[in-house]
Amino acid sequence: MRRRAFLKNASLAALASPLASSGPSVLCRAAEGKRIAFGGMHIECSSYSHILTHMEDFRVLRGQQLADDSFFSMLKKYPYPFQPLLHARAVPGPPVERKTYNDLQDEFLARLRALLPLDGLYLPMHGAMYVEGMWDADGDWIAAAREVVGKDCLITASFDLHGSLSRRAVNNLDMLSAYRTAPHIDVEETTRRACDMLVHCLDEHIRPTMVWAPIPVLMPGERSSTRYEPAHRLWAQLPAMNADPGVLDASLLVGYVWADEPRATASAVLTGTNPEVLKKDALSLAQQYWDARKEFKFGVPTGNLAECIERAERLTTKPVVISDSGDNPTGGGNGDRAQVLAELLRRKVQNALIAGIADRPATEACYKAGVRATLPLRIGGSLDPVGNPPVNATGKVIFLAGTDNPLERQAVMETAGVTVVLTARRRPFHQIQRDFTSLELDPTTFKILVVKAGYLEPEIAKIANPNLMALTDGAVNQDIEHLSSQHRVPTYPFVPDLQWKPMTVVSARSPQGG
Ligand SMILES: [Zn+2]
């Protein structure tokens, strides 16, 4: 396969095309012959959370708003119009409420039906969605889309590298690309790989082969960041594999460990035109991943909460960034736990910043009291009270974010030498300007910065001096060996002495499948 050539041509054509910066109406007139639509649902859910993700937690984009969104406006560069359907995305978190899922899916499918017939469909998914009372929600979404578009339409998908596949998902897809980096710095590139492949196959009338090798290993993202070994070397070989004749795309997925369901495993997935090469590469990746399973380690020093705070106090550098990893909202944690605040207050630690704790009642109380007011606050456990005791403290309000949206409210308060950002909704703190400077906070001036995160995103990693990962409680507890595991297939490390040999599944959609 002329993989390099077609990618180069596609990119050059896109750059040279007068359509690249044109609006969609021009695109619709100019491009004829291929009809492509896109949309999907993007969330990662911990089945260990006791609460649910509701409609108000999703950012739902439709129609032109979706076409113009910064994630997807790049699709306008293709020679064919990508017609927007609906895309629902939320911060990773608890399982999705069944009604919310059903309502979003019904609307998505209705919009899909209205655009038939289609030659191609692009599904930008996460791959670790968990819906209450349902296993394999991503597979359900993909299979329902297939039923609507029919057998002649090619479906491509992009997945987060923490997504998990299933036979149902594989049997209804023609091709798939997953992120190759964690932290995820190749989101746009992954979209491009998934869509280049779709457009190429439509142009060349190719019905590709997709080969999947499930790998019964589950690791938290914090032990499988591609910044560290063994993940670094495992993922580093994918671009070269991609360049092989007969390969259109090669992906390796860690899967998602905090979902107790049968499909939760790691995966190697290859799409292309030469089934033998695809199987060989999938088996090789799967075997290498299996062989490396005992090498996956945390990339930064870890300890329990008390150990991390003690160590931070002894260090003469700042800011020491402590990751409250069990309650990380970007991994599926609730983000409402006050366990670190309790420990900092108990130890009378000074000059610490906690960013942040999701607590709408406490946030509202600060807004009601106003800046410079001092008030009694009950912080923590507002979303999931199970095993999550609140902290009672007297706080002084020092900053209130100006916003018309009550869900976007953020209050900065100070109590006994500890500064806390309270937020009305669950949210991460990853970016200096967006998340700190906008609240008139300079995180580098604090001795200790606490973030609800696992591995650090690039901007926080850059200021961490150093980073310590606290192995705290929460819905994404890093002590995975002790997670209850009732529904998984036998998987390492839940079955420490598991015996296994790799095997491949060819998608039923492939010319050789079915
Ligand atoms: Zn991810």
Side-chain angles (χ1 to χ4, degrees):
M1 180 54 52
R2 307 176 311 278
R3 171 73 181 158
R4 276 189 177 152
F6 98 73
L7 275 180
K8 196 172 162 193
N9 291 342
S11 310
L12 287 174
L15 287 173
S17 167
L19 303 176
S21 58
S22 303
S25 58
V26 178
L27 277 169
C28 293
R29 283 200 308 276
E32 290 178 3
K34 305 296 180 198
R35 291 174 56 83
I36 303 174
F38 76 101
M41 200 162 165
H42 189 287
I43 184 172
E44 173 182 70
C45 309
S46 168
S47 67
Y48 296 96
S49 175
H50 305 102
I51 55 175
L52 293 173
T53 297
H54 298 278
M55 187 65 87
E56 69 172 22
D57 299 310
F58 282 93
R59 179 169 181 253
V60 184
L61 299 176
R62 306 167 168 88
Q64 197 58 42
Q65 207 187 4
L66 173 57
D68 294 340
D69 181 64
S70 58
F71 274 112
F72 299 112
S73 57
M74 61 174 284
L75 298 176
K76 293 177 184 174
K77 294 182 180 175
Y78 285 98
Y80 306 120
F82 276 63
Q83 304 280 359
L85 298 160
L86 164 151
H87 193 255
R89 183 174 180 137
V91 171
V96 179
E97 177 203 32
R98 186 63 174 258
K99 183 180 183 313
T100 296
Y101 177 79
N102 289 344
D103 288 351
L104 288 168
Q105 189 184 43
D106 286 350
E107 184 183 342
F108 173 81
L109 295 177
R111 287 173 177 271
L112 193 56
R113 276 186 210 100
L115 288 180
L116 294 177
L118 288 167
D119 300 297
L121 174 63
Y122 166 45
L123 300 174
M125 308 287 283
H126 181 288
M129 173 160 59
Y130 189 97
V131 175
E132 63 167 338
M134 177 192 280
W135 277 339
D136 190 17
D138 293 281
D140 179 76
W141 186 282
I142 291 165
R146 167 62 67 197
E147 204 176 313
V148 169
V149 299
K151 62 181 174 46
D152 294 332
C153 177
L154 293 183
I155 303 183
T156 188
S158 58
F159 265 34
D160 188 287
L161 129 168
H162 300 116
S164 295
L165 282 152
S166 66
R167 240 173 226 270
R168 183 162 51 156
V170 168
N171 281 339
N172 285 288
L173 288 173
D174 296 284
M175 51 198 102
L176 178 128
S177 299
Y179 302 160
R180 290 173 173 170
T181 58
H184 309 315
I185 54 173
D186 63 335
V187 175
E188 184 174 331
E189 189 187 314
T190 305
T191 299
R192 187 176 298 117
R193 280 168 38 224
C195 294
D196 278 359
M197 192 159 45
L198 174 65
V199 168
H200 174 70
C201 288
L202 288 174
D203 279 345
E204 302 294 325
H205 304 287
I206 293 169
R207 176 83 167 259
T209 297
M210 195 167 92
V211 174
W212 171 46
I215 311 163
V217 174
L218 282 170
M219 287 293 148
E222 287 64 32
R223 284 199 231 164
S224 51
S225 165
T226 54
R227 285 199 291 229
Y228 308 113
E229 297 297 353
H232 181 264
R233 70 167 192 269
L234 290 171
W235 268 262
Q237 59 193 317
L238 297 183
M241 231 170 222
N242 233 123
D244 281 347
V247 177
L248 288 169
D249 198 80
S251 290
L252 188 55
L253 295 90
V254 173
Y256 186 67
V257 69
W258 292 289
D260 185 13
E261 65 168 321
R263 72 168 163 141
T265 66
S267 297
V269 189
L270 281 101
T271 307
T273 54
N274 185 329
E276 295 317 310
V277 171
L278 301 173
K279 284 183 196 169
K280 176 178 73 64
D281 287 350
L283 290 172
S284 166
L285 285 171
Q287 185 69 54
Q288 289 180 62
Y289 197 94
W290 173 259
D291 291 345
R293 68 193 182 283
K294 293 179 182 169
E295 287 179 53
F296 290 97
K297 300 271 180 350
F298 294 109
V300 299
T302 61
N304 64 36
L305 181 53
E307 288 166 350
C308 288
I309 294 175
E310 268 173 31
R311 186 164 173 179
E313 285 191 293
R314 282 200 307 270
L315 286 164
T316 53
T317 56
K318 71 172 189 182
V320 180
V321 178
I322 297 180
S323 307
D324 181 3
S325 64
D327 196 29
N328 166 20
T330 55
N334 296 329
D336 71 333
R337 298 181 71 88
Q339 55 199 345
V340 183
L341 174 62
E343 189 65 15
L344 290 172
L345 293 178
R346 193 178 73 78
R347 291 171 170 273
K348 298 186 170 40
V349 173
Q350 299 294 298
N351 199 23
L353 169 63
I354 299 178
I357 299 174
D359 191 320
R360 194 168 177 184
T363 307
E364 293 299 334
C366 289
Y367 272 75
K368 204 170 168 192
V371 175
R372 288 186 292 279
T374 298
L375 71 161
L377 287 164
R378 187 173 186 270
I379 300 168
S382 66
L383 296 172
D384 183 355
V386 179
N388 188 5
V391 170
N392 291 302
T394 300
K396 182 177 183 188
V397 182
I398 51 179
F399 185 84
L400 298 170
T403 172
D404 295 334
N405 182 352
L407 291 174
E408 296 296 330
R409 286 185 163 183
Q410 298 180 79
V412 183
M413 52 77 69
E414 193 265 331
T415 180
V418 180
T419 303
V420 183
V421 183
L422 299 169
T423 63
R425 75 190 321 173
R426 304 167 54 253
R427 55 163 298 162
F429 286 77
H430 285 335
Q431 295 175 23
I432 303 294
Q433 176 66 39
R434 184 196 69 184
D435 302 330
F436 293 92
T437 313
S438 63
L439 301 176
E440 298 185 355
L441 290 169
D442 178 354
T444 63
T445 62
F446 290 87
K447 169 66 187 165
I448 295 176
L449 167 63
V450 180
V451 286
K452 289 186 183 291
Y455 54 68
L456 299 182
E457 293 293 319
E459 288 191 22
I460 303 298
K462 209 168 164 183
I463 64 164
N465 193 13
N467 174 213
L468 306 174
M469 192 184 297
L471 305 177
T472 47
D473 287 338
V476 290
N477 190 325
Q478 296 287 336
D479 182 17
I480 60 163
E481 285 81 355
H482 294 100
L483 291 176
S484 73
S485 187
Q486 297 173 15
H487 305 299
R488 291 188 182 87
V489 296
T491 303
Y492 180 85
F494 304 102
V495 182
D497 55 353
L498 185 66
Q499 303 293 309
W500 179 76
K501 282 265 175 291
M503 55 164 282
T504 56
V505 174
V506 177
S507 166
R509 291 280 305 161
S510 305
Q512 308 78 14

